Amino acid sequence: MDKTVDIPISEARANITDVIASVRLLRSCVFLLRREKPQAAIVPIELGHLVRQVGGPDAAADLLAKHLAEASS
């Protein structure tokens, strides 16, 4: 089940309390769009903590990419 939502930045700004509640309570990831292109994401706090633990977004992306490559081989 896909728990991601795409929302224009302007809509997220106008409804930030609801967006945060959705991420926190429904455990969804909200992708913020500008001109229909993803610019950033709001993720559950536990995921943010894990990203911080592994050394930031670039390190987390590398780790996930390696994991996905191993899983597909």
Side-chain angles (χ1 to χ4, degrees):
M1 184 168 122
D2 187 12
K3 286 187 168 185
T4 65
V5 179
D6 294 341
I7 298 177
I9 292 172
S10 58
E11 183 181 327
R13 185 182 301 120
N15 301 295
I16 193 65
T17 301
D18 293 335
V19 171
I20 291 170
S22 172
V23 169
R24 186 172 55 84
L25 298 172
L26 302 177
R27 315 260 325 124
S28 62
C29 294
V30 175
F31 288 87
L32 303 174
L33 309 177
R34 176 175 288 136
R35 296 186 181 134
E36 299 182 10
K37 294 182 182 175
Q39 302 295 310
I42 302 174
V43 300
I45 191 68
E46 296 84 3
L47 182 54
H49 286 308
L50 290 171
V51 168
R52 182 180 281 172
Q53 278 184 318
V54 298
D58 293 336
D62 289 344
L63 186 65
L64 283 170
K66 288 176 188 173
H67 175 74
L68 289 172
E70 290 172 3
S72 67
S73 17

